[in-house]
Amino acid sequence: MATFKEFRNNVKPNWCPGCGDFSVQAAIQRAAANVGLEPEGMAIVSGIGCSGRISGYINSYGFHGIHGRCLPIAQGVKMANRDLTVIASGGDGDGFAIGMGHTIHAIRRNIDITYIVMDNQIYGLTKGQTSPRSAAGFKTKSTPQGSIEPALSPMEMALTAGATFVAQSFSTDLKDLTAIIEAGIKHKGFSLINVFSPCVTYNKVNTYDWFKENLTKLSDIEGYDSSSRETAMQTLMAHNSLVTGIIYQDLQRKSYQELIPGYAETPLTQADLHLDQGSFDKLAAEFM
Amino acid sequence: MINQLSWKVGGQQGEGIESTGEIFSIALNRLGYYLYGYRHFSSRIKGGHTNNKIRVSTTETRSIADDLDILVAFDQETIDVNYKELNKTGIIIADTKFKPVRPDDTDAALYSIPFTEMAAELGTSLMKNMVAVGSSSAVLGLDIHVFNEVVEEIFGRKGAQIVQKNLEAIREGYDYMKALLGNNQGTLELAKADGQKRLFMIGNDAIALGALAGGCRFMAAYPITPASEIMEYLIKKLPPLGGTVIQTEDEIAACTMAIGANYAGVRALTASAGPGLSLKMEAIGLSGITETPLVIVDTQRGGPSTGLPTKQEQSDLMAMIYGTHGEIPKIVMAPSTVEEAFYDTAEAFNLAEEYQCPVIILSDLQLSLGKQTVHPLQFDQVEIRRGKLVTDPIPEPADKAYFKRYEVTEDGVSPRVLPGTKNGIFHVTGVEHDETGKPSEVASNRKKQMDKRMRKTKNIRFNTPIHKNCKHEDSDLLIVGFNSTRGVIEEAMDRLEQEGIKANHAHVRLIHPFPADEMLPLVRRAKKVVVIENNATGQLANILKMNVGHADKITSILKYDGNPFLPHTVHTECKELFEYGNI
């Protein structure tokens, strides 16, 4: 069985020293090993931005696509080969700005993939513009007077969109993050994991210290019930979404693939591409 | 007795005009007639004038007719909008209910039949369409027993009584018309057809069937006119083969999902029309630079923007060849018949895997939606070729070295490994990359990878890139077209020939890379070249000039009012061009 080291490749990330994304990379490698995957059995599909480079920094199949589209690509990969463990990942701009349409529909479609968002509340690679996750009043190069739009709450949004797995974590908490990614991979359906992954270069407000001060662990809330959507929503609202842990998990609903009529049990990549003459003649006869 | 005629039914959209045409034409097809249909419709569900024009012939027919013999009207608007098409012996059959008025300036006879009233007496006025079908059958002198089978197939699941009532409606319409015709019986009577069973389908049916035959097992698509029939057919037929169709949230998702599925190794399709293709353009570039096979259908309609969503146009040509920023290898094919739409779609999946690039199947509204009689489709001509797909075990690499998925090769095509394969790990990125897929901005690598990609399609193997009907070594006119104009050009050619004008016809089936070597000799040996196309800027003419030169003798006949060409337009304009040198 592969160890987490086998998920390391020989590429040096081009992230800034201290970037939160390093821990996400390590957590994915550990979680993959912990759930018993082999490197060739995983495909990471990523978006564009600093965090989007992650698919190139893990020893597995990786697809670095176009801005905002990692989710449809990842869903296509999973539809084609249901034996692969498919992880989609990208930043908050990728998933909650340009790719928001896909995020909300991937959530309600519930194809069995894991989506990890590295949320730094800023556009880093383009050198410091506002993001849909930036708080109102946040000053950036594109909002010199402070943002006048409120920040989006992706966790609340996911709950209303019919999510079956909603979790949040903080990149410094490697143990917790690894466990959540493992749970996400094991979850039969779409899992959304938002990870606070601070940008040490452009976000001087939402720093490591800021998160340490403001985050509440759900495990510290006595009797928190992650199977209740109502509790999940109330807790998010009470804590301004600044919580970590598995916020909500629906273990009843079947994944998209389990519901498709006729969908092959074996990967579609193994399906016979040839029709036989008899089947073809039958199809053609319907047009006579 | 006549050998061919043209019939049209019209009324308000949502009144069952389409099903009237459908039932009538299925019956005619069963009797062995050759049919070619064109639907005039609007972008709304209820209301607005709609009509369905069908040409019926005892011999093969590939275009709509210039004129009209029978107009079946369910409202006065249908008469007012269409009566000028009627020829000297043409007739109007109209529902008494709306008190039809015959326009002063027509020779056409008007037969008023109480379609609605007769249907209502039988149980429901919905069956007025059946009365009209019966009346039309009387004019054509059809044996209406043919409807027994057709009506059973369509209404059988609603019960025997409904079937019986519909057949009675047809019979009553037939008898009523017979009585009205009296001495005129026979003027529009059709010669008997050969009774052969033939396929009767729209281009989109053929594209979808071609995809199935070509090994397509997944489709991601977003509904749009005139492409939706493709996804609607495949969602019925893919599940028994283990596959499926996902209706995505938008066109971008449809294209990128198809890319993901193709990357993982399934033959996946997406299909749309102009607005969808505009949205897919960035993803098409991703398929190009990542060398991921991708098959896309573009059923052209009137543009730009929402344009004329239910009308004929061929104005996406340049966008399909050059669309997406930057430069990628791409294959653009343009089937010109329903049969070719079948074979070309199946073949597109082979080309996409062999050349590892996007393949666009260009259609147009008339080809995609015009229902017509089709020659038998030869399934044994369909091949499955997967190019340089690696199926042998891969030896373990040293130091976790990535597989050279983008290895620089002589023909530019590199070995392709599917995710899940042991020891085959490589990276894919839309960023310029090295042979293992890792990002690289090194100038020498950029040039190598760009050259490698661009040389893949240089010597493309494509069966019949130009459909040629070139009887003359030296021609007075070389007529060039693509997609659905093939039929009108062929008909116009026959008329030109009878007038002693030596015309050759070249219909371009491979738009890009352009088959210049095949086209050049035809252009050289023509006095004039005339390009027929449904757009305002002469896009194919410009492509011709770019690729074969001879700009001084290339002229265009253009039509961009939303309607397809009629044979007489092509004939008279070509003739004028020949006689006066310009149009």
Side-chain angles (χ1 to χ4, degrees):
Chain A
M1 217 166 65
T3 65
F4 75 90
K5 285 183 185 163
E6 281 164 74
F7 288 89
R8 287 184 185 159
N9 65 7
N10 45 26
V11 182
K12 191 177 168 289
N14 61 8
W15 294 322
C16 305
C19 175
D21 295 353
F22 284 104
S23 308
V24 179
Q25 175 198 12
I28 293 174
Q29 289 163 336
R30 280 162 198 268
N34 291 351
V35 298
L37 298 179
E38 296 295 329
E40 68 270 12
M42 182 162 79
I44 302 187
V45 182
S46 60
I48 297 297
C50 296
S51 55
R53 287 297 182 104
I54 197 162
S55 59
Y57 302 153
I58 291 171
N59 190 44
S60 72
Y61 283 93
F63 195 117
H64 179 225
I66 43 177
H67 197 21
R69 320 298 170 203
C70 70
L71 282 174
I73 296 171
Q75 290 170 87
V77 174
K78 185 70 181 181
M79 288 302 297
N81 188 345
R82 64 192 302 172
D83 282 358
L84 284 175
T85 295
V86 179
I87 292 179
S89 67
D92 45 313
D94 203 76
F96 303 139
I98 190 166
M100 181 53 121
H102 308 307
T103 303
I104 214 152
H105 290 282
I107 289 169
R108 56 179 278 269
R109 193 172 288 129
N110 202 34
I111 288 178
D112 187 12
I113 62 172
T114 303
Y115 182 34
I116 302 168
V117 182
M118 284 158 267
D119 180 3
N120 59 10
Q121 290 125 308
I122 188 120
Y123 278 54
L125 196 58
T126 48
K127 303 193 190 308
Q129 297 84 15
T130 189
S131 134
R133 290 282 301 122
S134 304
F138 188 62
K139 285 189 180 172
T140 67
K141 282 182 188 159
S142 60
T143 50
Q145 308 295 319
S147 173
I148 51 175
E149 297 171 34
L152 189 91
S153 173
M155 301 290 95
E156 288 178 25
M157 179 209 76
L159 288 177
T160 61
T164 56
F165 186 102
V166 184
Q168 199 156 247
S169 191
F170 180 31
S171 70
T172 54
D173 196 348
L174 189 59
K175 209 176 130 195
D176 179 74
L177 177 57
T178 305
I180 283 179
I181 294 175
E182 277 178 51
I185 292 173
K186 285 181 192 159
H187 177 73
K188 289 201 185 312
F190 185 83
S191 42
L192 171 64
I193 302 169
N194 192 58
V195 185
F196 297 116
S197 178
C199 174
V200 292
T201 307
Y202 291 107
N203 192 335
K204 306 296 185 191
V205 177
N206 311 103
T207 60
Y208 285 101
D209 287 341
W210 185 90
F211 281 112
K212 274 176 199 154
E213 245 168 67
N214 289 286
L215 286 176
T216 301
K217 283 189 174 188
L218 290 173
S219 55
D220 291 341
I221 300 175
E222 216 185 299
Y224 183 80
D225 177 10
S226 64
S227 71
S228 163
R229 196 155 156 250
E230 199 180 336
T231 307
M233 188 61 99
Q234 279 172 355
T235 310
L236 285 172
M237 290 176 120
H239 292 83
N240 194 26
S241 290
L242 290 165
V243 295
T244 58
I246 296 174
I247 298 165
Y248 177 68
Q249 186 170 15
D250 178 348
L251 293 164
Q252 309 304 317
R253 193 174 143 202
K254 286 185 171 164
S255 74
Y256 186 88
Q257 281 149 314
E258 290 171 287
L259 294 170
I260 305 171
Y263 186 61
E265 301 270 327
T266 49
L268 212 41
T269 47
Q270 292 167 15
D272 187 2
L273 300 188
H274 299 83
L275 294 178
D276 56 82
Q277 182 73 47
S279 319
F280 180 80
D281 291 343
K282 240 171 102 184
L283 290 168
E286 290 175 16
F287 294 105
M288 281 180 178
Chain B
M1 287 277 208
I2 51 174
N3 289 316
Q4 66 135 313
L5 60 77
S6 198
W7 175 90
K8 184 186 268 192
V9 58
Q12 291 294 299
Q13 217 152 267
E15 267 195 326
I17 301 306
E18 209 174 307
S19 61
T20 314
E22 181 80 7
I23 290 165
F24 192 49
S25 49
I26 288 175
L28 288 163
N29 185 63
R30 294 277 167 90
L31 290 168
Y33 292 102
Y34 288 87
L35 306 168
Y36 190 94
Y38 177 70
R39 278 169 56 211
H40 169 98
F41 63 112
S42 305
S43 190
R44 57 193 279 187
I45 309 212
K46 297 262 180 198
H49 174 67
T50 182
N51 68 59
N52 194 344
K53 184 175 178 181
I54 297 161
R55 193 179 199 179
V56 191
S57 174
T58 52
T59 54
E60 194 175 351
T61 175
R62 289 257 188 218
S63 78
I64 35 175
D66 290 323
D67 56 5
L68 190 61
D69 297 285
I70 302 165
L71 176 62
V72 178
F74 282 97
D75 59 8
Q76 187 62 38
E77 188 182 357
T78 298
I79 298 177
D80 297 343
V81 171
N82 299 289
Y83 80 92
K84 287 202 167 143
E85 269 182 67
L86 286 161
N87 55 34
K88 276 188 186 150
T89 53
I91 61 167
I92 302 168
I93 312 174
D95 192 353
T96 310
K97 193 190 171 194
F98 69 86
K99 301 190 181 76
V101 179
R102 191 176 75 106
D104 294 336
D105 56 341
T106 180
D107 296 328
L110 170 70
Y111 296 93
S112 178
I113 300 182
F115 292 152
T116 307
E117 207 185 306
M118 286 162 75
E121 271 172 28
L122 281 167
T124 165
S125 59
L126 287 174
M127 291 188 301
K128 64 185 176 182
N129 302 313
M130 293 300 166
V131 182
V133 165
S135 304
S136 300
S137 304
V139 179
L140 269 58
L142 303 182
D143 175 1
I144 57 169
H145 287 102
V146 68
F147 289 101
N148 293 352
E149 191 181 82
V150 179
V151 170
E152 172 65 38
E153 279 164 33
I154 295 171
F155 297 105
R157 61 191 164 84
K158 291 185 179 173
Q161 208 195 342
I162 301 280
V163 171
Q164 206 42 50
K165 289 280 179 200
N166 276 283
L167 286 172
E168 275 174 45
I170 291 173
R171 162 66 64 187
E172 287 195 10
Y174 180 88
D175 291 342
Y176 198 103
M177 188 73 211
K178 273 266 181 207
L180 275 186
L181 282 170
N183 292 338
N184 285 332
Q185 204 109 25
T187 12
L188 288 172
E189 198 173 322
L190 263 180
K192 289 276 170 291
D194 61 9
Q196 288 266 338
K197 264 199 166 190
R198 293 187 185 87
L199 294 168
F200 181 50
M201 56 206 299
I202 59 172
N204 282 349
D205 293 332
I207 288 170
L209 188 59
L212 276 187
C216 170
R217 295 295 176 264
F218 179 67
M219 180 184 192
Y222 189 83
I224 189 168
T225 303
S228 300
E229 293 79 9
I230 301 168
M231 71 185 287
E232 289 165 3
Y233 180 78
L234 288 176
I235 191 60
K236 283 186 279 185
K237 301 301 179 191
L238 275 174
L241 300 168
T244 194
V245 176
I246 291 188
Q247 180 179 327
T248 53
E249 57 273 20
D250 61 32
E251 296 280 5
I252 297 172
C255 198
T256 46
M257 204 178 276
I259 289 173
N262 274 300
Y263 154 72
V266 163
R267 289 191 159 190
L269 174 71
T270 188
S272 191
L277 264 292
S278 289
L279 288 166
K280 291 178 195 294
M281 281 302 168
E282 189 191 10
I284 289 171
L286 177 72
S287 156
I289 192 169
T290 62
E291 308 194 38
T292 308
L294 176 65
V295 178
I296 311 152
V297 179
D298 175 23
T299 56
Q300 298 173 94
R301 65 186 213 187
S305 186
T306 306
L308 292 168
T310 61
K311 301 285 181 279
Q312 165 69 5
E313 202 164 281
Q314 302 177 313
S315 55
D316 295 352
L317 205 57
M318 288 290 186
M320 290 312 106
I321 297 171
Y322 297 108
T324 203
H325 56 281
E327 295 157 311
I328 57 164
K330 201 196 274 171
I331 298 166
V332 184
M333 51 215 287
S336 53
T337 62
V338 172
E339 292 86 348
E340 285 176 9
F342 169 78
Y343 298 115
D344 285 4
T345 306
E347 180 65 3
F349 288 93
N350 291 329
L351 298 176
E353 287 206 288
E354 286 181 322
Y355 297 96
Q356 299 176 10
C357 71
V359 178
I360 296 176
I361 302 162
L362 196 62
S363 177
D364 58 30
L365 186 132
Q366 173 56 15
L367 176 60
S368 273
L369 298 186
K371 201 159 185 175
Q372 54 190 283
T373 306
V374 173
H375 291 292
L377 300 172
Q378 308 294 337
F379 176 64
D380 55 8
Q381 281 184 21
V382 173
E383 292 178 336
I384 306 277
R385 306 186 309 270
R386 305 205 65 182
K388 292 190 187 174
L389 184 68
V390 177
T391 49
D392 293 335
I394 302 166
E396 195 179 331
D399 303 326
K400 294 181 185 169
Y402 276 13
F403 183 84
K404 286 191 177 175
R405 167 70 183 92
Y406 302 104
E407 189 183 347
V408 176
T409 60
E410 207 182 315
D411 63 3
V413 183
S414 317
R416 177 167 158 250
V417 170
L418 303 182
T421 309
K422 196 165 174 58
N423 301 323
I425 290 178
F426 64 97
H427 190 238
V428 176
T429 176
V431 174
E432 188 54 275
H433 43 263
D434 65 16
E435 290 186 307
T436 65
K438 288 176 185 164
S440 167
E441 292 181 345
V442 176
S444 59
N445 175 75
R446 159 68 170 186
K447 189 167 181 312
K448 269 187 210 154
Q449 285 294 324
M450 184 58 102
D451 289 345
K452 158 198 148 39
R453 287 191 295 268
M454 297 312 292
R455 73 173 166 261
K456 287 193 294 187
T457 54
K458 279 246 164 76
N459 298 306
I460 182 174
R461 293 176 305 277
F462 189 93
N463 196 18
T464 328
I466 300 172
H467 164 81
K468 285 177 256 184
N469 178 11
C470 299
K471 281 180 274 183
H472 309 285
E473 183 92 352
D474 296 290
S475 65
D476 295 325
L477 278 182
L478 172 67
I479 307 178
V480 181
F482 72 108
N483 278 150
S484 70
T485 53
R486 182 149 141 198
V488 276
I489 294 175
E490 284 171 356
E491 204 160 323
M493 288 259 296
D494 290 344
R495 298 183 199 177
L496 290 167
E497 283 289 329
Q498 282 168 17
E499 291 165 347
I501 296 170
K502 287 192 280 178
N504 280 341
H505 176 195
H507 222 68
V508 186
R509 293 184 54 195
L510 178 64
I511 301 280
H512 186 80
F514 192 81
D517 292 348
E518 281 213 36
M519 187 58 94
L520 187 57
L522 302 176
V523 172
R524 265 200 199 123
R525 311 207 63 163
K527 285 200 187 99
K528 288 194 178 72
V529 179
V530 55
V531 187
I532 314 286
E533 47 189 323
N534 284 121
N535 59 55
T537 54
Q539 297 186 29
L540 183 61
N542 284 329
I543 288 164
L544 206 58
K545 289 172 194 169
M546 279 166 60
N547 285 283
V548 300
H550 295 280
D552 53 337
K553 58 175 163 186
I554 297 176
T555 319
S556 294
I557 297 178
L558 305 172
K559 188 167 169 66
Y560 41 91
D561 60 0
N563 296 315
F565 279 105
L566 292 172
H568 83 87
T569 321
V570 176
H571 166 229
T572 51
E573 293 197 20
C574 280
K575 195 176 163 191
E576 274 179 43
L577 177 71
F578 171 72
E579 285 170 355
Y580 304 109
N582 53 33
I583 296 165

